[in-house]
């Protein structure tokens, strides 16, 4: 199974809090964010891993020279316009399905993620997106499903209690999504949330997969919380 990591952001909020390393190289426990994800993906049957970083990350560009992984690492160095642009670049390197792409700073329980990967490999839907009812985000993306967990609406606002869950920043697909990427590029989409809306509005059958706790590391306080979460697990 193929995995991808979006690591092309600037990490400006962490830098403002005094953490000056590129976000992928910030330590969580005894490993960097990027190595943590690579390890988790290898533990879950990764056959290859694609990673996108921005052109300004000089420290990260040479990081893999002295690393030895048991799976091929495909590195893309490109400053993108947004998270959708990054996903588009990654998906072009992944030639078979299913595949899973996540942002580099997404924190989750490893055992839950392993169960998710098993479900992704066996699902008959077009995709499976982890969600959480743990809301600790500056701009959460709310998800609504039917009784069979099929996503039927995605919104920037929680208009009613049926929008119980938010997006977890993990995207699993069992279908080739190149035609949707082409449409999104044509209409000028550059945010991942807008691409998710397009997928649902286009009729792609995507189910949500509830997980207890998923959050991002955007600020130093998130980094402290992430270290505590990982050490407990």
């Amino acid at each position: 199974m193929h995995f991808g990591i979006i690591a092309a952001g600037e990490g400006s909020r962490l830098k403002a809090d005094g953490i000056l390393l590129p976000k992928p190289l910030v330590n969580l426990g005894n490993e960097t964010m990027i190595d943590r994800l690579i390890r988790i993906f290898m533990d879950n049957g990764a056959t290859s891993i694609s990673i996108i970083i921005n052109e300004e990350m000089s420290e990260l560009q040479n990081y893999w020279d002295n690393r030895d992984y048991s799976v091929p690492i495909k590195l893309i160095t490109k400053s993108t316009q947004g998270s959708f642009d990054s996903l588009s670049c990654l998906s072009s390197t992944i030639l078979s399905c299913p595949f899973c792409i996540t942002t580099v700073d997404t924190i989750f329980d490893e055992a839950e993620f392993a169960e998710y990967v098993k479900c992704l490999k066996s699902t008959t839907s077009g995709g499976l997106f982890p969600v959480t009812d743990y809301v600790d985000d500056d701009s959460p993306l709310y998800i609504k499903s039917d009784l069979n967990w099929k996503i039927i609406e995605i919104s920037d606002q929680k208009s009613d209690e049926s929008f119980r869950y938010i997006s977890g920043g993990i995207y699993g697909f069992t279908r080739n999504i190149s035609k949707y990427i082409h449409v999104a590029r044509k209409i000028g989409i550059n945010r991942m949330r807008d691409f998710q809306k397009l997928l649902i509005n286009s009729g792609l059958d995507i189910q949500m997969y509830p997980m207890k706790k998923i959050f991002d590391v955007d600020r130093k306080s998130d980094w402290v919380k992430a270290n505590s979460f990982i050490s407990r697990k």
Side-chain angles (χ1 to χ4, degrees):
M1 181 171 164
H2 302 269
F3 291 85
I5 302 173
I6 297 174
E10 297 179 355
S12 56
R13 284 174 285 186
L14 275 180
K15 290 179 180 177
D17 286 344
I19 299 178
L20 303 182
L21 280 172
K23 185 184 282 190
L25 296 184
V26 172
N27 274 356
L28 291 174
N30 60 357
E31 56 190 345
T32 65
M33 284 191 192
I34 195 80
D35 276 332
R36 174 180 178 269
L37 282 181
I38 291 172
R39 174 183 56 77
I40 292 171
F41 293 163
M42 290 193 300
D43 287 346
N44 286 280
T47 55
S48 70
I49 301 172
S50 299
I51 303 169
I52 183 166
I53 64 173
N54 69 51
E55 295 167 356
E56 287 71 42
M57 289 182 175
S58 56
E59 294 174 76
L60 197 53
Q61 290 176 23
N62 301 320
Y63 185 70
W64 283 271
D65 292 346
N66 299 313
R67 313 292 289 180
D68 184 21
Y69 300 107
S70 60
V71 299
I73 302 291
K74 303 175 183 179
L75 182 65
I76 302 170
T77 302
K78 181 182 179 182
S79 295
T80 58
Q81 298 179 356
S83 52
F84 162 70
D85 194 14
S86 295
L87 176 134
S88 174
C89 292
L90 285 177
S91 65
S92 67
T93 72
I94 299 173
L95 303 179
S96 64
C97 297
F99 65 93
C100 176
I101 292 177
T102 179
T103 52
V104 72
D105 62 341
T106 302
I107 307 300
F108 48 80
D109 179 79
E110 294 182 32
E112 275 194 302
F113 184 78
E115 291 302 315
Y116 159 70
V117 172
K118 291 178 184 177
C119 290
L120 176 60
K121 289 177 179 179
S122 63
T123 185
T124 58
S125 65
L128 195 62
F129 288 4
V131 297
T132 180
D133 58 5
Y134 175 77
V135 183
D136 184 13
D137 194 291
D138 290 343
S139 53
L141 183 65
Y142 292 93
I143 310 291
K144 181 179 181 179
S145 76
D146 63 16
L147 295 178
N148 295 315
W149 300 106
K150 178 182 177 180
I151 298 175
I152 57 175
E153 190 174 347
I154 296 177
S155 175
D156 296 316
Q157 304 294 328
K158 185 177 182 179
S159 55
D160 57 63
E161 291 306 312
S162 63
F163 289 92
R164 176 184 171 188
Y165 295 98
I166 65 170
S167 172
I170 305 170
Y171 316 102
F173 295 97
T174 61
R175 309 277 193 280
N176 187 301
I177 57 171
S178 58
K179 69 176 182 179
Y180 301 102
I181 289 174
H182 175 74
V183 171
R185 285 192 174 279
K186 191 173 182 179
I187 63 177
I189 284 177
N190 58 32
R191 298 193 307 169
M192 188 58 201
R193 62 178 54 212
D194 294 324
F195 181 59
Q196 291 180 73
K197 294 174 186 176
L198 181 144
L199 292 174
I200 301 307
N201 293 337
S202 298
L204 183 62
D205 178 13
I206 298 178
Q207 290 184 307
M208 65 180 187
Y209 183 92
M211 292 172 64
K212 291 179 181 178
K213 194 171 187 178
I214 312 173
F215 62 95
D216 295 338
V217 178
D218 292 322
R219 296 182 170 83
K220 186 175 182 179
S221 58
D222 300 325
W223 173 70
V224 172
K225 179 174 62 178
N227 275 288
S228 176
F229 177 79
I230 290 170
S231 66
R232 290 199 304 271
K233 296 298 180 181

